[in-house]
Amino acid sequence: EQAVARLAALGYKNEEVAEQLFISQNTVKFHLANVYKKLGIKNRVELKNAMEMSKKSELAYWAAINK
């Protein structure tokens, strides 16, 4: 799910994600549906925003503990 989410957030189409990960397009759709449900989002734009927010939060965390 994480690899599928990362590639989808980067703008890869389902077919491209499937090719990159050597999985079927149905598997990509299945994983994306699970990710959307877990994050409470509805589409790739919201996925991209969620991934960016997560990255910023992680960077802020590591900056705070390394002071």
Side-chain angles (χ1 to χ4, degrees):
E1 286 180 358
Q2 292 178 1
V4 169
R6 285 187 190 110
L7 291 173
L10 289 171
Y12 284 68
K13 297 177 182 177
N14 288 356
E15 182 179 355
E16 296 168 324
V17 173
E19 289 174 5
Q20 289 289 317
L21 299 177
F22 304 102
I23 59 177
S24 73
Q25 289 186 51
N26 285 336
T27 302
V28 172
K29 292 175 186 177
F30 178 79
H31 288 319
L32 281 176
N34 286 340
V35 169
Y36 291 176
K37 184 176 180 180
K38 288 177 182 179
L39 297 178
I41 60 176
K42 297 176 184 172
N43 57 49
R44 288 175 192 247
V45 172
E46 291 180 359
L47 175 61
K48 182 179 179 181
N49 291 339
M51 297 286 273
E52 288 174 355
M53 287 177 52
S54 175
K55 185 175 180 179
K56 289 177 186 176
S57 295
E58 184 177 344
L59 291 173
Y61 168 78
W62 287 109
I65 65 169
N66 287 313
K67 284 187 177 183

